[in-house]
Amino acid sequence: MKFIFGLGNIGEKYDQTRHNIGFMAIDAFAAAHNATFSPTKQFALTAKIQVDGVPVMLVKPTTYMNDSGKAVRAILDYYDGDVTDIMVLADDMDMPFGKLRFRAKGSAGGHNGLKSIMAHTDSQTFLRLKFGLGHPEHEKQVVINYVLGQFSKAESEIVETMLARSTQAISDWINGATIAELSNQYNG
């Protein structure tokens, strides 16, 4: 089984915020496959689907971003999964706004959700699909206010393109595309 974890914060006040683009991406993928999420005892909302014959579990941790690893560990343990079978969808402020990037391993780069997953899985080697948010336009704008802020109307149009591209990229991964192939097609 393949596991796709969209990172975000639960609650209406976080809907459609920059930090929740992982939730937005997994919701877009779920909508493309008519999937419905249900609560579980593994600290997450999940949806089980088949994509071209491959079983896939879509996961939205309910632990809040900074403790996402708790849900990842619980899901992998319950379903006897491995970090080699996961893709994590997360935001990245160090990438230009609107860009996608696949990474197969590496540090958390200051992202607390990724730090939590690394701590709970004892691994830095898992596939990530990162969504570029860029940095605040004004130096005085506090980073936390930026990532927890809503997308502007102009940004929302770019986000829709990112979500459409990520839905295709996730499908390609499920269908066996390698990290090199994914990187060549979607990075940048």
Side-chain angles (χ1 to χ4, degrees):
M1 180 181 301
K2 301 266 189 181
F3 300 88
I4 303 166
F5 293 89
L7 301 191
N9 287 308
I10 292 292
E12 283 185 33
K13 74 177 189 174
Y14 299 109
D15 282 351
Q16 305 300 306
T17 60
R18 291 177 182 90
H19 211 28
N20 268 30
I21 198 160
F23 273 7
M24 294 168 68
I26 203 162
D27 285 341
F29 187 81
H33 294 277
N34 299 312
T36 304
F37 288 93
S38 300
T40 69
K41 293 181 180 179
Q42 289 77 39
F43 318 105
L45 302 173
T46 64
K48 292 181 193 175
I49 60 173
Q50 293 267 332
V51 178
D52 297 325
V54 178
V56 178
M57 166 102 27
L58 307 178
V59 185
K60 293 168 61 172
T62 57
T63 55
Y64 289 99
M65 180 72 76
N66 294 353
D67 204 14
S68 298
K70 182 177 181 179
V72 172
R73 178 79 272 153
I75 291 286
L76 292 179
D77 287 349
Y78 188 80
Y79 290 98
D80 197 28
D82 189 82
V83 292
T84 59
D85 298 321
I86 73 172
M87 177 189 288
V88 177
L89 312 176
D91 61 290
D92 189 328
M93 280 186 36
D94 292 327
M95 289 171 41
F97 185 80
K99 300 295 183 185
L100 297 178
R101 180 180 300 147
F102 277 98
R103 290 213 46 206
K105 60 183 177 180
S107 72
H111 193 288
N112 289 330
L114 294 176
K115 282 181 191 175
S116 177
I117 293 170
M118 289 173 187
H120 281 83
T121 62
D122 197 30
S123 178
Q124 290 186 357
T125 307
F126 56 87
L127 186 60
R128 305 133 213 229
L129 176 52
K130 300 167 109 184
F131 295 77
L133 296 183
H135 283 277
E137 287 184 26
H138 307 289
E139 281 188 40
K140 291 184 179 183
Q141 186 176 7
V142 179
V143 169
I144 192 77
N145 292 337
Y146 179 73
V147 296
L148 295 180
Q150 301 274 325
F151 292 105
S152 70
K153 186 173 182 174
E155 288 173 332
S156 293
E157 293 176 14
I158 297 168
V159 168
E160 289 304 315
T161 300
M162 288 171 65
L163 297 179
R165 290 187 72 226
S166 71
T167 293
Q168 183 58 54
I170 294 166
S171 293
D172 291 349
W173 174 68
I174 291 167
N175 286 311
T178 66
I179 182 66
E181 291 167 338
L182 294 167
S183 296
N184 286 338
Q185 183 160 355
Y186 295 101
N187 288 9

